[in-house]
Amino acid sequence: MSNLEQTLSIIKPDAVERNLDLEIKQMFKNNGFVIIKEKKIQIEKSEAEKFYKVHETKPFYNDLCSYLSSGPIVVMILEKKNAVLANRELMGATNPKDAIEGTIRKKFGLSIDKNSVHGSDSLENAKLEIDFFFKD
Ligand code: IDP
Ligand code: MG
């Protein structure tokens, strides 16, 4: 299958803290994603700053990096045909208020910052983000 892709997904601290990781992983599986690798970790703020470097000029950057490093997260490599776009669709809009029914952020997101999941936004970034967390 030529467009079989891998993308990076993170279950963010707000969702792990509420023990939603199993339910969110089940949503991925129900939507045809295969979880190739996964690990539950907590990262340092300096690592979050590197991961979110693309947002370093945004007013919310500091809070975002504090938040991502504030508690355990589950990091996964997801595989599926057109995985990058399919994951963005299943996640829903960045602001849970704008997310449509059936999406993870609609179901579980608390606010624009505590929106339960991260997903790569392009195939190129997916490769970089997978390397960031899983390159040994
Ligand atoms: P995405 O996660 O849907 O790709 P991005 O624009 O890449 O959204 O932003 C990264 C993360 O930064 C979002 O998931 C959200 O947690 C946070 N964020 C984005 N915009 C805002 C904002 O206006 N205020 C606070 N946090 C924000
Ligand atoms: Mg993004």
Side-chain angles (χ1 to χ4, degrees):
M1 213 188 307
S2 61
N3 49 356
L4 189 65
E5 294 177 357
Q6 292 187 345
T7 190
L8 186 92
S9 170
I10 303 176
I11 304 177
K12 292 183 175 182
D14 68 271
V16 176
E17 184 178 82
R18 287 177 287 151
N19 294 311
L20 295 171
D21 40 324
L22 285 180
E23 209 172 332
I24 291 175
K25 275 158 53 176
Q26 195 57 50
M27 281 179 82
F28 286 125
K29 292 177 197 165
N30 291 346
N31 282 273
F33 290 91
V34 177
I35 301 172
I36 301 291
K37 284 188 186 176
E38 63 171 293
K39 57 183 178 182
K40 191 186 221 177
I41 54 173
Q42 183 163 358
I43 60 173
E44 299 290 337
K45 188 173 179 192
S46 59
E47 296 175 281
E49 286 167 348
K50 256 189 247 170
F51 181 74
Y52 274 133
K53 191 156 177 56
V54 62
H55 292 302
E56 70 183 332
T57 60
K58 309 271 171 65
F60 56 84
Y61 178 64
N62 185 58
D63 287 346
L64 176 61
C65 296
S66 296
Y67 168 62
L68 193 70
S69 57
S70 68
I73 57 176
V74 177
V75 189
M76 295 167 287
I77 300 175
L78 301 181
E79 187 174 89
K80 185 185 164 158
K81 192 175 163 186
N82 299 317
V84 173
L85 183 61
N87 180 38
R88 296 294 306 191
E89 286 176 355
L90 181 57
M91 287 164 58
T94 304
N95 190 338
K97 285 185 185 138
D98 301 327
I100 63 171
E101 213 57 58
T103 62
I104 296 171
R105 284 168 165 173
K106 172 72 178 182
K107 196 165 182 198
F108 299 120
L110 300 172
S111 58
I112 192 164
D113 47 327
K114 296 186 172 178
N115 59 7
S116 303
V117 279
H118 166 86
S120 310
D121 62 3
S122 67
L123 195 53
E124 188 188 0
N125 284 335
K127 292 192 169 95
L128 295 171
E129 292 181 357
I130 287 169
D131 268 5
F132 185 89
F133 282 108
F134 290 99
K135 200 170 183 171
D136 310 300

